Amino acid sequence: MRDTVQKREILTFLRAKRQHYSAAQIYDAVRTKVPNLSLGTVYRNLGHLLEDGEIISVETSDKCVYYDGFIQDHAHFVCDGCKNIFDFPLKMDIASEVLDAGFSVESEKVVYYGKCKNCRDARI
Amino acid sequence: MRDTVQKREILTFLRAKRQHYSAAQIYDAVRTKVPNLSLGTVYRNLGHLLEDGEIISVETSDKCVYYDGFIQDHAHFVCDGCKNIFDFPLKMDIASEVLDAGFSVESEKVVYYGKCKNCRDARI
DNA sequence: ATATGTGCAAACTGTTTGCACACGA
DNA sequence: TCGTGTGCAAACAGTTTGCACATAT
């Protein structure tokens, strides 16, 4: 896997803040650094980075995938109100039945849905 | 919410087996009962059923959503090899930090990724 | 030098929607 | 009857891909 400006800037952007971005948001942001970046390139790089485990993805009920440069195990909370995604620690044991069944677990995703404090208080 | 043949057959189909189906698979299957069913109707009904909590959805890394008529809390295991989705018990405490933060959790989704026993043995 | 990445645009795929008609209550 | 659901087809949005060119190694 070759080292290109595009890939480097995408990864730098995703690592800069502990937030979660769609491909389109990444495209818009990174284009300020790499003006004629194309969306196809964003998708291709996100694919590579996912495969290499340099980023993770969050599938919400939303129609698009969100990407996360913070790759330590953690759970996500998706707010029904403001649609923000929050990180939370993950203290979870893989159900022993999975291992008993002879399955090998490579990764796990935990997503909570509900209302964050702000939206709950504001009744959004 | 009105009681229609289409809705009833979709729900019956999803409840018949403890499996997970895409909208297209549901469409194909239910069309044997309701010959001129349309895919739009399938999507509209899946939307209603989800809202009413009569079914749940599983977002895998796949591009389409899978629907599940078994709605007791449980985790899903998505096999990288055969792409099958398996059910497992969910024994998980919501991270206390979520509640401490004043967030209200309405639902949670836990998905494991890896290889099921067959695919692991067969090295698929 | 050469294989891999890029930009661009077109293609693809799952999903949504507007409309006229059908049907459940 | 009247409001909601349906079938159909077209529209949509996110994502993928083929191609010719560029670039990292």
Side-chain angles (χ1 to χ4, degrees):
Chain A
M1 192 175 170
R2 214 174 262 180
D3 182 36
T4 65
V5 193
Q6 291 84 346
K7 187 189 113 183
R8 210 180 314 128
E9 290 297 337
I10 288 171
L11 192 50
T12 302
F13 172 71
L14 282 174
R15 282 179 178 160
K17 287 194 202 153
R18 280 188 54 179
Q19 284 192 35
H20 313 80
Y21 301 95
S22 66
Q25 291 174 322
I26 296 166
Y27 172 64
D28 286 340
V30 175
R31 214 145 51 120
T32 62
K33 295 286 185 69
V34 187
N36 50 358
L37 178 68
S38 89
L39 194 49
T41 297
V42 172
Y43 278 107
R44 277 184 283 230
N45 275 297
L46 290 172
H48 294 157
L49 292 167
L50 276 175
E51 264 187 30
D52 295 355
E54 303 228 55
I55 62 175
I56 60 172
S57 61
V58 193
E59 287 91 24
T60 71
S61 311
D62 214 340
K63 59 187 81 185
C64 67
V65 176
Y66 291 87
Y67 300 88
D68 186 349
F70 177 67
I71 55 173
Q72 270 182 253
D73 270 355
H74 61 285
H76 289 114
F77 182 101
V78 181
C79 177
D80 293 337
C82 60
K83 308 295 176 196
N84 274 122
I85 302 175
F86 301 85
D87 285 358
F88 279 100
L90 178 61
K91 33 174 125 167
M92 210 205 144
D93 299 318
I94 291 162
S96 53
E97 285 84 351
V98 178
L99 305 171
D100 291 348
F103 287 25
S104 56
V105 177
E106 199 155 282
S107 66
E108 68 199 280
K109 290 187 183 177
V110 177
V111 185
Y112 304 111
Y113 298 87
K115 290 255 197 323
C116 74
K117 186 167 168 43
N118 276 346
C119 290
R120 207 188 53 168
D121 292 349
R123 283 159 213 236
I124 291 171
Chain B
M1 192 175 172
R2 215 175 261 180
D3 182 36
T4 65
V5 194
Q6 290 85 345
K7 187 188 113 184
R8 212 179 313 127
E9 290 296 337
I10 288 172
L11 192 50
T12 301
F13 172 71
L14 281 175
R15 282 179 179 161
K17 286 193 203 152
R18 279 189 53 181
Q19 284 192 36
H20 313 79
Y21 301 94
S22 67
Q25 291 173 322
I26 296 166
Y27 172 64
D28 286 340
V30 176
R31 213 145 52 119
T32 62
K33 297 285 185 73
V34 187
N36 49 358
L37 177 69
S38 89
L39 194 49
T41 297
V42 171
Y43 277 108
R44 276 183 284 229
N45 275 297
L46 290 171
H48 294 156
L49 292 167
L50 277 174
E51 265 187 28
D52 295 357
E54 305 228 55
I55 62 175
I56 59 172
S57 62
V58 193
E59 287 91 24
T60 72
S61 310
D62 214 341
K63 63 186 79 186
C64 66
V65 176
Y66 291 88
Y67 299 88
D68 187 349
F70 177 67
I71 56 174
Q72 271 181 252
D73 269 356
H74 61 283
H76 289 113
F77 182 102
V78 180
C79 178
D80 293 336
C82 60
K83 307 295 176 195
N84 274 121
I85 302 175
F86 301 85
D87 285 358
F88 280 99
L90 178 61
K91 33 176 127 169
M92 210 205 142
D93 300 318
I94 291 162
S96 54
E97 285 86 350
V98 178
L99 305 172
D100 291 350
F103 287 24
S104 56
V105 177
E106 199 155 281
S107 66
E108 67 198 280
K109 290 187 184 177
V110 177
V111 184
Y112 304 111
Y113 298 88
K115 291 258 197 319
C116 73
K117 186 165 166 43
N118 276 346
C119 291
R120 208 188 52 170
D121 292 348
R123 283 159 211 236
I124 291 171

